[in-house]
Amino acid sequence: MQINEKSSWLYYTGRFLAKWIAILFYRCKSFGKENIPSNTGVIISPNHLSYFDPPLTGSFMDQDLFFMAKQELFEIPILGFLIKRTNAFPVKRGQQDMSAFRNAFSLLENKKALLMFPEGTRSKNGKLGKARAGVGMVACNCQVPIIPTKIVNTNNMTKFKQIEIKYGKPIYPPKNYTKEDYLKLSQKVLEEIEKL
């Protein structure tokens, strides 16, 4: 599935709602938006606590945010219809999905912002998991910066704790790299998230 690189009205509506739900019900605060470059493709790379993380991450940015979502979500009738129109594209987990990577490369080459989780999946216990090589691989091959991003308190939203989102300083991939550098770069992203 090829992604439409032009955001729809549904995307902007969802972004608006996500932002104001976060502010009104969770007293959400964001920090470091100025760290996100606007003149290049960029990977926004947060920890992953809940399904609310993608719209939350994008709602406080100036740029439109695109993201990968697991293939299974696109197969759920109403949800699949919605996420196709809110800047998401499918990725098949557990395998090298070249279609998903082509979409990612195209977005970054066209100076878009792409969300990729360094852990690859949601945390079950609220703690950082193990890094996966995907973020490092895409950043190295596209030579774009990564913004480590820390999300706080979306793992148990029924308690209405204050949510925070912190955008860190850019991490730049090495110009000369090997496949071993992919995982190292993803691990560095997690280390910087820990510090935020």
Side-chain angles (χ1 to χ4, degrees), residues 10-181:
L10 195 58
Y11 169 80
Y12 293 113
T13 302
R15 184 167 77 170
F16 175 84
L17 290 173
K19 182 174 184 176
W20 285 103
I21 287 170
I23 291 172
L24 293 174
F25 293 99
Y26 298 93
R27 307 174 309 286
C28 185
K29 293 184 178 179
S30 69
F31 307 90
K33 186 176 70 170
E34 67 278 3
N35 291 325
I36 305 172
S38 58
N39 59 348
T40 182
V42 62
I43 297 173
I44 309 297
S45 194
N47 56 315
H48 194 8
L49 302 173
S50 81
Y51 288 120
F52 190 54
D53 295 338
L56 175 70
T57 304
S59 66
F60 287 90
M61 293 172 52
D62 294 329
Q63 303 94 323
D64 294 353
L65 184 63
F66 295 79
F67 62 99
M68 296 181 186
K70 59 183 180 181
Q71 174 74 43
E72 294 87 343
L73 296 179
F74 290 82
E75 296 163 5
I76 300 170
I78 296 173
L79 181 61
F81 174 85
L82 290 173
I83 62 175
K84 281 179 191 175
R85 288 155 181 83
T86 51
N87 292 3
F89 58 95
V91 60
K92 295 172 184 172
R93 296 193 302 173
Q95 58 184 281
Q96 284 193 332
D97 186 344
M98 294 315 298
S99 174
F101 285 125
R102 279 194 293 271
N103 278 325
F105 292 166
S106 175
L107 287 164
L108 293 168
E109 286 168 6
N110 287 304
K111 300 184 178 181
K112 305 293 186 182
L114 174 67
L115 182 143
M116 291 185 73
F117 296 110
E119 303 153 286
T121 188
R122 279 182 302 128
S123 169
K124 301 292 190 293
N125 59 11
K127 298 178 181 178
L128 290 175
K130 292 184 179 179
R132 303 283 181 90
V135 169
M137 186 275 283
V138 173
C140 286
N141 281 277
C142 294
Q143 286 297 293
V144 296
I146 305 167
I147 303 296
T149 304
K150 187 170 189 174
I151 297 172
V152 180
N153 286 335
T154 58
N155 52 314
N156 195 345
M157 296 181 69
T158 58
K159 292 186 177 179
F160 292 94
K161 291 183 179 179
Q162 183 177 37
I163 290 173
E164 291 183 351
I165 180 164
K166 304 173 185 179
Y167 304 97
K169 299 283 187 185
I171 297 172
Y172 292 89
K175 294 195 181 300
N176 299 307
Y177 56 86
T178 65
K179 288 185 177 180
E180 286 71 29
D181 290 312

